[in-house]
Amino acid sequence: MDHILFSITTEHDPRWLLAAALICVLGLSTAMQLLGVAREQTGTRRRNTTMLAAFISGLAVFTTHFVALHGYQPGHEIRYAVWPTVGSFVLALGSFGLAAGIVMVRPNRLYRGLAALVALAGVSGMHFAGIAGLRLAGSIGWQPGLAALAIGGALTIAMVCGGLIYGPGLLRRVLTASGGALAIAFLHFTAMSGIVVTPRVQVDTALTVSGVVMTGVIVAMVAAIVGVTAFVGWMSWASQSGALRRLREAMDAMPDGMAYYDAEDRLVLWNQRYEELVPELSPALRVGVTFREIIELGLAQDIYSDARGRQAEWFQDRIESRQALTTTREQQLADGRWIRGSDRRTAAGGIVTVCTDITDLKNDARALAEARDVAESASSAKSQFLANMSHEIRTPLNGVIGVAQALAKTPLSAQQEEMLELIHSSGQTLQVLLSDILDLARVESGRLELASDVFHLGRAVREAAQLYETSAEAKGLQFFVEVAPEADRWITGDVVRVKQILTNLVSNAVKFTGTGFVSLTAAPGPERAGSPTLRFSIEDTGIGFDSDTRERLFSRFEQADGAITRRFGGSGLGLAISRQLAEMMGGDLDCESEPGGGSAFILTIPFNAAEAPAAAPGVVAQATGEEPATIRVLLADDHPVNRKVVEMILAQANVDLTSVENGAEAVQACRDGDFDIVLMDMQMPVMDGLTATREIRLNEAAMGLGRTPIVMLTANALAEHIASAEAAGADRHLAKPFDAAELLDLVATMPHAAAATLAA
């Protein structure tokens, strides 16, 4: 250690040592900055920048070494052998070139440490080659221990600096460069303290240069280092300045206003759009103005419409929300414009504010809301129109069908029976068409709801097919119904809608088949998404259709072509409604066919198996052989035709019928008399059927009377009408036009069922 300190303090001029240290730190820092630039580049530019970094670092270390040697004072003139000096320069350049290549391959800690070792190994070779090129008063040798210490210590310092300290940023570059300078200094002074000079016996004939020449070379190298450093610094400044200019241009090109406030909420940077959004505040925008001052100015100029009358409260809320950075605010200005502002905090604690003019969005939203209200009003009007038309059409249709059914029970000639059958079939056709139109309207409006009841699938399939078995036999068709044992069980679903789809498909098959067969099969289908399905197949040997027809067959009011419409009739609504019902159930409806080769319609719905429901208690029956008791019936209907139809149908049974024209009369009749069943119209003058039903139920509760069965016998057939009737207290809902047999069955069974329930 004494030798090292002696070498530093006595044998070297400190001014040269300080210059050497500055050159080393400056050159290595510049080289590391160039390496950082090179990592962002590609191709030839990356290679050239890496080579420049290697050259600058090698040149800096070589210059550092010989500047330090210039400060060495052995007591006599020093000359420099040319070829050893040139060799030391080559060693420096080569080692730093290899080190730069290693860092560029993979800049992690391992590779950085390896690069530092390679560089210091080259520096060590440069040092000892350069010392060997000195021409002193004798031959130069080294003490092995100090030489080994110099190399080992320098390598250790370099590896620590390269592996642990080196990284992005000016501070890391300077620290790494300083560590490199320290490693080189340790190598130099430790090795110089171990020099042993032996008097020379022979005359040295090697080519040498004087210290003056070497000084000129060093000055040129220092100038090159300073020039490159200045150039790199200028390029870095120009790059940052260009990046800032491009950033400002990008900000000004943004459609939204943007501003940056520092950690103390002072304005630092903003774009042109930020000024344009609130031109009243534009004169106040300057670097250093606080957000609080901007808001206070806006309040003073009455810019914020929702702050009027509560400025202090509004101001406090605005400042707190900005500090919390929790919400995006929408602010209406005094001129009617809307501004949306959002604040985001940066890593340095500043706030980026983005403002957007959403006036057009607000206007569009208001227009959409108005359009929605108009559409909802139109939809409501359409629904009301459909309900009214349904009521008005069903009322006379009920008279047509009801009178035809009553007339069928009287003696008729063959011609009269034929005419009556035409009336009845035409009425049924109108009823089906009316139901299809209402179903389609409910599906489109989203108001059609599916029930979820337990029913026996096999029974429902057979009942749906049985309706058209007679028609098929009349045309000479073979008619098959097959239900697989796995499907002949209880399931959960909407039995009414399932039967509606099946009857529609079977009806079409019978209608469009002249010869051959019609078949309906029900069986388990393939699983979908891991859930079981049911597959219904309706096949026929009818006229069929081509692929073009298949694409439009499920559209509304569509059949195969105009000729079919004229020949077979129909509205073309059935298949459209059936497919929509299938999709509502979570399934689908598709078909396969070819002209003249028959058709196959395939319905697939989810298979929700269920347990059989418990058996319902039996109805008390009349004793065999006894005369059935007279049933007292109250009919409330304002339409004389409907009253007459009911009277004609119930004349076939043992019924004591009392008729009234409105709900008020019905309530009074129930208070004055005792009835077994009430048939109540829903839409009547003075008092409607729903109000009358509620009054009857209240009277029963107040007087402690038993519950009289009430059937809503009405042309109001929509789902909401049924729900309203149930809520009012009605027991059943029978839509007009109704089947005479169904009405007779209700009148005959409901009073006995009510009596059985009361007795239980």
Side-chain angles (χ1 to χ4, degrees):
M1 181 61 69
D2 293 338
H3 291 284
I4 298 174
L5 293 176
F6 178 79
S7 175
I8 295 174
T9 59
T10 303
E11 296 182 343
H12 288 82
D13 186 341
R15 292 171 296 179
W16 287 99
L17 296 182
L18 179 60
L22 291 175
I23 292 171
C24 187
V25 172
L26 182 63
L28 292 180
S29 297
T30 302
M32 283 184 283
Q33 183 175 355
L34 287 170
L35 287 177
V37 173
R39 278 196 293 271
E40 303 297 328
Q41 297 174 337
T42 58
T44 304
R45 297 186 63 182
R46 177 187 178 96
R47 184 185 67 248
N48 293 341
T49 305
T50 303
M51 292 174 60
L52 180 60
F55 176 77
I56 289 298
S57 56
L59 184 63
V61 170
F62 178 81
T63 305
T64 299
H65 170 69
F66 280 95
V67 168
L69 283 180
H70 261 56
Y72 181 56
Q73 299 173 347
H76 55 80
E77 182 187 6
I78 300 177
R79 293 186 68 84
Y80 301 86
V82 174
W83 297 118
T85 302
V86 173
S88 66
F89 181 64
V90 173
L91 279 173
L93 292 181
S95 61
F96 276 94
L98 182 58
I102 293 173
V103 171
M104 294 302 294
V105 169
R106 188 173 299 174
N108 55 24
R109 288 184 176 180
L110 176 62
Y111 277 71
R112 294 200 306 265
L114 177 61
L117 289 178
V118 170
L120 254 295
V123 171
S124 299
M126 177 206 70
H127 176 81
F128 287 104
I131 296 298
L134 294 180
R135 292 299 177 257
L136 303 176
S139 300
I140 299 175
W142 287 274
Q143 297 181 31
L146 289 174
L149 177 62
I151 297 173
L155 290 175
T156 301
I157 296 172
M159 183 175 63
V160 171
C161 293
L164 301 180
I165 301 177
Y166 176 60
L170 177 62
L171 179 61
R172 283 180 173 269
R173 290 201 304 270
V174 172
L175 289 177
T176 306
S178 300
L182 178 63
I184 294 173
F186 183 86
L187 171 68
H188 177 84
F189 292 116
T190 304
M192 292 299 292
S193 66
I195 287 180
V196 177
V197 180
T198 304
R200 191 183 301 277
V201 177
Q202 297 179 349
V203 178
D204 187 5
T205 60
L207 178 63
T208 62
V209 296
S210 65
V212 175
V213 175
M214 198 63 190
T215 300
V217 174
I218 292 173
V219 169
M221 291 183 175
V222 170
I225 294 172
V226 171
V228 172
T229 302
F231 176 75
V232 171
W234 179 83
M235 288 294 294
S236 177
W237 174 85
S239 176
Q240 292 179 358
S241 178
L244 184 61
R245 184 179 65 257
R246 289 190 294 272
L247 175 62
R248 186 56 187 261
E249 292 174 352
M251 288 180 59
D252 287 337
M254 290 178 59
D256 300 329
M258 188 177 77
Y260 172 67
Y261 293 79
D262 62 14
E264 297 181 8
D265 216 6
R266 296 174 301 191
L267 185 60
V268 177
L269 186 67
W270 66 96
N271 65 357
Q272 184 68 29
R273 182 59 176 162
Y274 192 71
E275 296 184 22
E276 295 172 353
L277 286 176
V278 189
E280 295 86 350
L281 300 178
S282 178
L285 298 181
R286 64 182 185 278
V287 176
V289 65
T290 64
F291 182 79
R292 178 184 293 266
E293 292 172 342
I294 295 175
I295 294 298
E296 289 175 344
L297 179 61
L299 285 173
Q301 297 187 13
D302 194 25
I303 292 176
Y304 312 115
S305 59
D306 60 345
R308 292 168 181 166
R310 59 183 194 99
Q311 285 85 350
E313 178 186 353
W314 185 92
F315 177 78
Q316 186 65 27
D317 176 66
R318 183 68 185 92
I319 296 300
E320 289 177 357
S321 66
R322 179 173 176 82
Q323 292 173 349
L325 302 177
T326 54
T327 58
T328 297
R329 297 179 63 93
E330 293 183 356
Q331 175 69 54
Q332 186 176 21
L333 304 183
D335 59 3
R337 290 183 299 122
W338 282 86
I339 304 296
R340 176 186 294 155
S342 59
D343 304 317
R344 296 292 183 271
R345 194 174 298 280
T346 66
I351 297 177
V352 176
T353 298
V354 178
C355 298
T356 307
D357 189 338
I358 59 171
T359 305
D360 291 341
L361 292 178
K362 285 290 185 179
N363 292 337
D364 291 344
R366 183 165 52 251
L368 287 174
E370 293 173 355
R372 180 201 60 205
D373 294 341
V374 171
E376 289 179 352
S377 177
S379 178
S380 176
K382 184 180 75 171
S383 299
Q384 186 64 38
F385 173 77
L386 288 173
N388 291 337
M389 288 300 99
S390 172
H391 181 274
E392 296 304 320
I393 294 174
R394 285 177 184 275
T395 298
L397 187 59
N398 180 62
V400 172
I401 295 178
V403 171
Q405 290 176 337
L407 186 60
K409 301 296 183 181
T410 64
L412 300 171
S413 65
Q415 185 179 12
Q416 290 173 330
E417 288 181 354
E418 183 180 359
M419 289 188 291
L420 186 61
E421 178 60 28
L422 290 174
I423 295 173
H424 187 262
S425 63
S426 298
Q428 286 185 324
T429 301
L430 286 174
Q431 183 178 1
V432 171
L433 178 58
L434 179 61
S435 298
D436 284 347
I437 293 174
L438 292 177
D439 280 345
L440 183 63
R442 286 197 291 263
V443 169
E444 288 183 340
S445 64
R447 300 175 65 184
L448 180 65
E449 297 181 359
L450 298 177
S452 182
D453 302 321
V454 176
F455 67 96
H456 195 277
L457 179 64
R459 186 183 308 158
V461 171
R462 295 183 182 94
E463 289 175 355
Q466 188 177 12
L467 295 174
Y468 299 96
E469 185 175 2
T470 303
S471 299
E473 292 176 353
K475 296 178 69 172
L477 302 176
Q478 292 180 291
F479 194 80
F480 306 103
V481 179
E482 297 180 7
V483 181
E486 299 86 353
D488 200 5
R489 57 169 301 167
W490 293 88
I491 68 169
T492 301
D494 192 327
V495 61
V496 174
R497 298 304 177 183
V498 171
K499 291 173 70 174
Q500 179 179 350
I501 298 174
L502 294 180
T503 53
N504 184 280
L505 297 177
V506 173
S507 171
N508 285 343
V510 173
K511 181 193 300 184
F512 295 114
T513 303
T515 58
F517 71 89
V518 172
S519 68
L520 167 60
T521 59
E527 288 192 355
R528 291 186 177 180
S531 300
T533 63
L534 282 169
R535 188 174 187 270
F536 302 88
S537 179
I538 296 88
E539 300 181 15
D540 62 63
T541 56
I543 61 175
F545 47 84
D546 56 22
S547 58
D548 291 338
T549 302
R550 180 180 181 274
E551 296 299 323
R552 56 185 176 85
L553 196 59
F554 292 96
S555 301
R556 304 170 206 159
F557 307 105
E558 287 285 353
Q559 290 186 336
D561 56 37
I564 291 177
T565 303
R566 290 190 297 271
R567 178 182 174 189
F568 295 99
S571 64
L573 286 175
L575 289 178
I577 296 172
S578 296
R579 170 170 277 186
Q580 289 177 304
L581 289 174
E583 292 173 350
M584 290 180 64
M585 295 177 186
D588 60 67
L589 175 62
D590 206 346
C591 62
E592 298 176 359
S593 181
E594 60 181 26
S599 306
F601 285 80
I602 298 94
L603 169 66
T604 305
I605 61 173
F607 189 176
N608 300 316
E611 297 296 328
V619 178
V620 178
Q622 296 289 331
T624 303
E626 295 182 1
E627 185 71 21
T630 301
I631 301 174
R632 293 159 298 177
V633 179
L634 173 63
L635 170 64
D637 197 315
D638 65 314
H639 201 287
V641 174
N642 287 332
R643 292 200 304 271
K644 187 62 177 178
V645 168
V646 174
E647 292 173 5
M648 293 172 62
I649 293 175
L650 295 185
Q652 306 170 39
N654 190 10
V655 169
D656 180 10
L657 180 64
T658 301
S659 298
V660 295
E661 297 183 3
N662 58 64
E665 294 179 359
V667 173
Q668 189 61 44
C670 286
R671 290 173 179 172
D672 295 341
D674 187 15
F675 295 95
D676 297 311
I677 188 170
V678 177
L679 305 178
M680 184 79 70
D681 189 18
M682 186 178 290
Q683 195 167 316
M684 294 182 293
V686 183
M687 180 184 291
D688 62 82
L690 298 178
T691 304
T693 301
R694 284 191 286 265
E695 290 293 328
I696 292 172
R697 294 305 183 206
L698 289 174
N699 181 66
E700 290 173 343
M703 302 301 294
L705 302 175
R707 182 182 176 93
T708 303
I710 298 178
V711 178
M712 301 304 292
L713 198 63
T714 175
N716 297 94
L718 301 181
E720 53 267 31
H721 298 146
I722 299 174
S724 299
E726 292 177 354
D731 298 284
R732 290 288 297 274
H733 187 283
L734 187 59
K736 300 173 183 176
F738 49 80
D739 185 75
E742 188 175 4
L743 177 60
L744 289 170
D745 182 65
L746 284 176
V747 171
T749 58
M750 286 194 70
H752 298 302
T757 303
L758 184 61

